[in-house]
Amino acid sequence: SAVEDCMSSRFLPVDEQMEILCRGVVDLEVKEEFKKKLEASRAEDRPLLVKAGFDPTAPDLHLGHTVLITKMRQFQKLGHRVVFLIGDFTGRIGDPTGKNSTRPALTEDEIVANAATYKRQVFKILDPEQTEVRFNSEWLKKMGFDDVIRLAGKYTVARMIERDDFEKRLKAGQSISMHELLYPLAQGYDSVALKADIELGGTDQKFNLLVGRELMHKHDLKPQCIMTLPILEGTDGYEVKDDAGNVTGVAGPKMSKSLGNYIGVEEPPEEQFGKMMSICDGLMWRYYDLLSEKSSDDIAALKAGHPMEAKIALAKEIVTRFHSADDADRGLAHFQSIVNPQNKHTVPDDAPRITLSSEDGQGMPLVDAMVEASLVKSKGEGRRMIGQNAVSVDGTRITDAALVLDAGQTHAVKVGRRRFAHITVD
């Protein structure tokens, strides 16, 4: 009715919200329930409560961590209420997710220091006025042993050891401590305490999120819907192609500080911009899906244009988010003057200088030149490295294994991260 439309005017139509919020999502449990929650929210002019929990396990956040935070920001922009939950209590237990052994619990000092850093960094994305920061020690620390027993009674051991992490460790004869079995219950109880409508998590958190859903049901609350999002690949991610050369997906290790393939939220603007420009095209579109606040129509328009322009737009968006628009402009200027594809500074000046002779004076196939310059051991390895977007010539990533280096010129060739050469073809 007209009255209902007026009351719900601050919320977009449900289908439009669904299109925005479901972008990049892997699991949505349960889609029809989620739609009904949005419909009720709009009809009652009431924001949904969206929760995402973060154990303060490290002091710095990178873009991989911000996938969830970006989705939280999308909920905020649609008028919903966000709770950024810091697991200061569960951090003392140690989340067993993805671990093949018991993870050491954090010390009190580590938790306090990391939590303070998280609070500072997340507001580079989230709107402080629309964000409620909570700590799960608020309710978990108050629980007595009898409360813990009652909570444990709401979930079975059989269901708990079905969890993939636990099942693998049991089969491998590795120990599982009792406190690890309590972790999913503690995380699940967070949703009970907050009366969450939606909980967000990475795909590796699906089990924990489902525990929260079941515990809410056992406490006579409307179960939360859950959304899982992918684990973001690092800057060394590469395109996967079929036999015909068509890109079928993106692969590579997850973004990790220990692997050196990360983009930190507090890195200097020039570093952030340069790292964004270094990613392959396929990974760029994945970053758009998971990190960008642009609309689906805007992204479709970018896909219709030149990939370089799309990559610059993404780099500017990311740098602006964590620094400022002026910093993004400076990052672009720095890239164009120093790391521009036409500039050979992507290869160190002191890299080996090698002169190769072509048979016909017309140039030399890149793969042959890479072998002769000892940048790869074989032509097969050279073609494989090109297929993994790990080869650049004069600062430009190479995707064509049949590329020929022009004669009479010196080319700055980079293979992987640490193999360089200035190759002159006679």
Side-chain angles (χ1 to χ4, degrees), residues 18 22 55 60 96 204 263 270 286 317 354-355 400 404:
M18 291 279 286
C22 292
D55 281 355
D60 298 311
D204 59 344
I263 301 175
E270 295 83 3
R286 185 161 171 81
E317 180 181 359
I354 300 169
T355 300
D400 181 7
V404 174

Side-chain angles (χ1 to χ4, degrees), residues 352 354 356 367-378 381 415 418-421 423:
I354 300 169
L356 303 175
V367 172
D368 292 353
M370 288 161 62
V371 174
E372 291 198 32
S374 299
L375 296 176
V376 294
K377 294 180 180 179
S378 66
E381 182 189 357
V415 180
R418 297 181 178 85
R419 285 176 275 176
F420 309 96
I423 299 177

Side-chain angles (χ1 to χ4, degrees), residues 191-209:
S191 296
V192 174
L194 292 169
K195 297 181 174 59
D197 291 304
I198 315 290
E199 183 172 13
L200 309 178
T203 50
D204 59 344
Q205 288 288 316
K206 185 176 180 180
F207 183 92
N208 291 352
L209 273 56

Side-chain angles (χ1 to χ4, degrees), residues 313-328:
L314 179 61
K316 291 185 73 171
E317 180 181 359
I318 294 300
V319 175
T320 298
R321 179 180 303 167
F322 297 117
H323 295 282
S324 70
D326 288 343
D327 285 321

Side-chain angles (χ1 to χ4, degrees), residues 160-178:
M160 191 65 72
I161 61 176
E162 286 175 1
R163 177 179 172 145
D164 187 56
D165 311 281
F166 292 151
E167 190 175 13
K168 287 179 179 176
R169 283 162 62 181
L170 284 172
K171 287 181 178 178
Q174 296 172 329
S175 64
I176 299 173
S177 299
M178 286 297 296

Side-chain angles (χ1 to χ4, degrees), residues 346-348 350-356 364-386 388 390-394 398 405 410-425:
T346 49
V347 171
D350 59 356
R353 296 183 178 275
I354 300 169
T355 300
L356 303 175
M364 175 177 287
L366 171 61
V367 172
D368 292 353
M370 288 161 62
V371 174
E372 291 198 32
S374 299
L375 296 176
V376 294
K377 294 180 180 179
S378 66
K379 294 182 181 181
E381 182 189 357
R383 285 188 286 268
R384 185 167 61 254
M385 295 296 284
I386 291 172
Q388 293 176 357
V391 177
S392 66
V393 175
D394 299 335
I398 303 302
L405 298 181
T410 298
H411 304 274
V413 181
K414 176 183 176 183
V415 180
R417 291 188 174 189
R418 297 181 178 85
R419 285 176 275 176
F420 309 96
H422 296 282
I423 299 177
T424 302
V425 179

Side-chain angles (χ1 to χ4, degrees), residues 53 55 57 68 90 93-104 160 163-169 176-177 179-185 187-188 199-211 228-229 231 254:
D55 281 355
T57 54
L68 291 184
T90 44
I93 301 175
D95 182 5
T97 298
K99 306 295 185 295
N100 55 17
S101 61
T102 300
R103 189 185 76 181
M160 191 65 72
R163 177 179 172 145
D164 187 56
D165 311 281
F166 292 151
E167 190 175 13
K168 287 179 179 176
R169 283 162 62 181
I176 299 173
S177 299
H179 75 282
E180 293 182 276
L181 298 178
L182 294 176
Y183 185 96
L185 295 177
Q187 180 176 328
E199 183 172 13
L200 309 178
T203 50
D204 59 344
Q205 288 288 316
K206 185 176 180 180
F207 183 92
N208 291 352
L209 273 56
L210 287 172
V211 172
T228 67
L229 288 112
I231 307 300
K254 71 176 183 178

